[in-house]
Each structure stands twice: as C-alpha cells, then as structure tokens.
Amino acid sequence: MNLLFLGGSITDCHHSFDPENLGNGYVRMISNALSPSDPELQISNKGIDGFTAARVNGMWKSLPDQEKERYDIVTVLVGINDLGMWMEKGTSRNTADQSLEAFLATYQELICDILDFCIPKLILMEPFLFDRPAQYQLWMPYLTRMNQGICALAFQYGVSWVPLQQRLSREAGRLGTDRVTVDGIHLTEEGHKILARAWLEEAGLSVE
C-alpha cells in the first residue's frame, strides 16, 4: 500500500530531519500501526510547516504524474495556516469572507485534480483549534464555516471526511488541554495519537 500525506506543520512534524521521512507525529504513528501487517507499505510525508491550501495544491501539482498514479490513499490536512492569515490583521488584502471563498475554491481544485488521477481513496481531515489561548476563540466562527465548506466538498465528491474538532475538544476536556496541545494549534504526542486513530478508523485499517 502506498500512502501520501499533504498538509502543514501538523503533518510535517520535522520529517525532513527523519531518515525515514515520516516525522514524529501522526504519520509515523500510522506507519507504526500498519507496517507489521504490510511489509510493502510505503508512506510519503510531504507536509510542510506553514503550508496553506494554495501551497498544498502547488505541492500536489508539482509531483510527477507517474508518482501520483501510484498512491492508494491521499490524505489532506490543511486550513489553519489559511485561517491564521485571515484573522491576523495586515497579512491578507481580502476580507475573511473573501479569503474563505478563495480557500474553498482552491480546495475544490485540489480535490478534482487528485481524483483525476483515479486515486482509490482520498481522505480529508478536519482542521482544528483549541480554546486556549483565548484569542483562538475569535477564530472559531470562521473555522466552523471553513469546516462546513470542506465537509460539503467531501460529500459532493464522495470522498472521506475525518471530523476532528469535536473529538479533540472532548479529549482535551477529559485529559486536560495541555495533554493534547502545546499551543492551541500544534499537538502533543497524545494529540497525534488521536489523529492517528481517527485516520485508521476512517481508512478501515484500525488495529489493536
């Protein structure tokens, strides 16, 4: 099985400094879970810290066609860097509403292009935030709209959708926020475990 993961820093997790190119987050955990039963497993982590939807789209388009055709599952987790640009004054010329519309158009373009290569399974993972620091509470209404838009695209194109916001918030409430996130966006080891489990369940590859 050949897997590709696209996204920002949560996917990246310093994979460029890892000889196996997996990083130290949920992508590695997925690899650890699947490797014992699939000796031919191949995983490409192409997440890059700071990537927006447009840059993820550009990353996908830059790959050789023969490489794209080899993937059995492509996974996308992107959105928080876009949201940060909209919400931090002075970093975007557009209004937040205009930026959201452009984001969803870019995301739709990415979905269509991936599906053009007859990828057997496309998994879209929900961007997420925590309510601390308090400033992120102001981002939540736009995050909700973003996720509603991505979920609608997943439904429209018949691809997989992994809801994460409620799951992570629930676990933060149960375990304590600091057990799940280091800064309200990035995840602890426990937080990455939650993502890995959610991905394995959606992919139908859950293991004990």
Side-chain angles (χ1 to χ4, degrees):
M1 184 163 51
N2 198 341
L3 313 179
L4 171 65
F5 291 85
L6 298 169
S9 58
I10 295 167
T11 300
D12 182 342
C13 275
H14 308 291
H15 73 86
S16 297
F17 303 97
D18 173 14
E20 297 180 278
N21 203 39
L22 295 173
N24 56 15
Y26 77 94
V27 176
R28 173 167 289 282
M29 293 174 182
I30 290 169
S31 176
N32 291 344
L34 297 179
S35 293
S37 60
D38 186 356
E40 297 184 358
L41 178 70
Q42 297 181 55
I43 296 182
S44 297
N45 183 344
K46 295 189 182 297
I48 301 292
D49 186 12
F51 262 24
T52 59
R55 297 188 75 181
V56 168
N57 192 28
M59 166 67 79
W60 168 258
K61 290 183 183 301
S62 73
L63 300 178
D65 287 355
Q66 61 268 30
E67 178 181 344
K68 296 175 184 177
E69 293 166 353
R70 292 200 304 265
Y71 292 116
D72 299 297
I73 303 177
V74 173
T75 301
V76 178
L77 173 55
V78 69
I80 288 302
N81 290 321
D82 295 83
L83 183 61
M85 291 175 62
W86 312 341
M87 302 308 294
E88 296 294 333
K89 293 181 179 179
T91 59
S92 176
R93 296 179 182 179
N94 296 330
T95 66
D97 287 335
Q98 290 170 332
S99 296
L100 176 60
E101 183 178 354
F103 167 87
L104 292 173
T106 300
Y107 209 127
Q108 183 175 25
E109 180 183 327
L110 174 63
I111 291 171
C112 291
D113 199 67
I114 292 173
L115 294 179
D116 280 346
F117 284 86
C118 300
I119 305 298
K121 193 173 188 68
L122 172 58
I123 296 178
L124 310 182
M125 299 182 77
E126 181 180 36
F128 52 84
L129 272 177
F130 297 84
D131 58 6
R132 287 188 286 169
Q135 72 188 70
Y136 291 149
Q137 296 178 33
L138 301 176
W139 297 19
M140 286 296 185
Y142 279 99
L143 178 63
T144 298
R145 289 175 58 190
M146 170 187 280
N147 286 334
Q148 288 171 342
I150 301 172
C151 182
L153 288 173
F155 181 79
Q156 178 180 347
Y157 289 96
V159 302
S160 295
W161 166 248
V162 181
L164 294 170
Q165 181 66 59
Q166 289 189 359
R167 188 167 186 160
L168 286 163
S169 296
R170 183 175 63 248
E171 290 302 295
R174 185 175 70 88
L175 300 172
T177 301
D178 292 343
R179 286 280 304 280
V180 181
T181 180
V182 296
D183 57 8
I185 292 177
H186 300 93
L187 298 173
T188 63
E189 180 179 0
E190 186 62 39
H192 278 284
K193 287 179 182 178
I194 296 167
L195 260 63
R197 286 195 295 267
W199 186 95
L200 289 164
E201 289 169 6
E202 180 60 38
L205 298 169
S206 297
V207 294
E208 294 300 328

